[in-house]
Amino acid sequence: MSGNDQQPTSITYAGAGVDVEAGDRAVELMKGAIKATHTSGVVGGVGGFAGLFDVSFLTGYKKPYLATSTDGVGTKVAIAQKLDIHDTIGHDLVGMVVDDIVVVGAKPLFMTDYIATGKVVPERIADIVRGIAEGCKLAGTALVGGETAEHPGLLAEDEYDVAGAATGVIEADQLLGPERVQAGDVVIGMASSGIHSNGYSLVRRVIAHAKWELDREVAEFGRTLGEELLVPTRIYTTACLDLVGALNDGENFGVHGFSHVTGGGLAANLARVLPRGLMARVDRSTWALPAVFSTIAQLGNVPQPDLERTLNLGVGMVAVVDPAVADRAVELLNAAGMGAWVMGGVENIDPSAADAGLDFVQGAKGVDGGAVLLTGNYAK
């Protein structure tokens, strides 16, 4: 090689935009929060290739079923990124995952997470995982592992997305669901903490149309728009499991099922836990729309059917219970801070109910189940 020849350019992983050392620093920052979620079943520490969980206790089960769920947070992360607040998104992720598991009566045992980002900023990643760990503690679920992936060129440096998966267990003969629901059962609503983690594409479109900034003070909220939109998803797992423990004794079932109100809204999700031939009649006048929902409706002139198919409208979880225990169930849920009330009941399907049009939902989300009829107007 002559003295005038240039040295060939060296291309490194760091030069391509991936900072391995930043990822290592993020792990160090989050270790303490992760360890705080570890129950006696967790085997090993943080940083292994796989999370390990001791399930030898399952030998005490007659026929254990494992329950699993996976989900993300959706476009709510865009609000967190714009505000540069990242320690609440983890609560949303945990709620979306573990509360799908508790619907069948299963206890979530452990969870893993996945974060993809354009650039690993250790403090930001640690904030996200800290929120996940805090949510796991609320749910009594161990955070046993996760992955952070840097995707330069695919995501902008300040962009990220999160996902998670959890596994739970239940004795087969204690499974809750449509098979236990009967005519005469009572439908109990549990208040949401806000929008939770569904419908943010609609919400973001509305606030952009209204030209509202996230730092706008909104009197009806008692805080800024951004603070309201980032309120974490309420986690219902512990309250629901405690309710089952108090009202189901292994042979007698006071609690017949739950419905987690996520994408699709109240009617579509409640229909999923009802058997064919039965209908839940839900009275809207039993609760008032929280301010955030009425504000979104007014700002975007959003039709009520669209609101009801997209947002939880103040109801985050529903319990379907035997009428003999309905009052006690409401009492227990309220003592647990769930803001519960009787919102309706289960009955045989009235063929004429379908004439209510969009107020009548049957076989929602491809589930060959029951139906839901929404009646009345929301309380003022």
Side-chain angles (χ1 to χ4, degrees), residues 95 98-108 138-139 170 174 176 188-191 234-248 254-261 316-321 329 332-334 336-338 340:
V98 299
D99 282 337
D100 276 0
I101 288 177
V102 80
V103 160
V104 298
K107 175 178 174 53
L138 289 173
I170 185 171
Q174 302 303 303
L176 304 182
I188 296 172
M190 297 177 227
R234 176 165 286 163
I235 296 173
Y236 300 91
T237 295
T238 300
C240 290
L241 291 176
D242 286 348
L243 188 71
V244 170
L247 301 181
N248 294 10
V255 180
H256 294 162
F258 295 105
S259 173
H260 189 198
V261 183
M317 181 72 82
V318 175
V320 182
V321 305
L332 290 170
L333 289 170
N334 280 327
M338 294 298 105

Side-chain angles (χ1 to χ4, degrees), residues 51 62 78 195 274 315 335:
K62 292 178 293 184
I195 298 176
L274 302 175
V315 185

Side-chain angles (χ1 to χ4, degrees), residues 68-111:
T68 185
S69 176
T70 187
D71 209 339
V73 177
T75 62
K76 187 172 184 175
V77 297
I79 306 293
Q81 290 161 17
K82 192 167 184 179
L83 291 172
D84 196 24
I85 297 173
H86 312 285
D87 59 353
T88 62
I89 285 295
H91 282 245
D92 295 293
L93 180 62
V94 175
M96 289 297 98
V97 174
V98 299
D99 282 337
D100 276 0
I101 288 177
V102 80
V103 160
V104 298
K107 175 178 174 53
L109 300 174
F110 55 85
M111 182 168 175

Side-chain angles (χ1 to χ4, degrees), residues 313-364:
L313 298 186
V315 185
M317 181 72 82
V318 175
V320 182
V321 305
D322 188 288
V325 304
D327 290 343
R328 179 62 175 155
V330 170
E331 179 184 349
L332 290 170
L333 289 170
N334 280 327
M338 294 298 105
W341 71 98
V342 172
M343 64 193 314
V346 179
E347 59 191 60
N348 292 316
I349 285 183
D350 177 0
S352 66
D355 295 336
L358 290 172
D359 291 342
F360 182 80
V361 175
Q362 185 171 20

Side-chain angles (χ1 to χ4, degrees), residues 20 25 61 170 216:
V20 176
R25 290 197 300 274
Y61 281 61
I170 185 171
R216 181 190 183 107

Side-chain angles (χ1 to χ4, degrees), residues 297-313:
Q298 293 165 11
L299 282 180
N301 194 28
V302 183
Q304 182 168 311
D306 209 58
L307 281 175
E308 293 183 338
R309 286 193 298 259
T310 308
L311 303 172
N312 68 62
L313 298 186

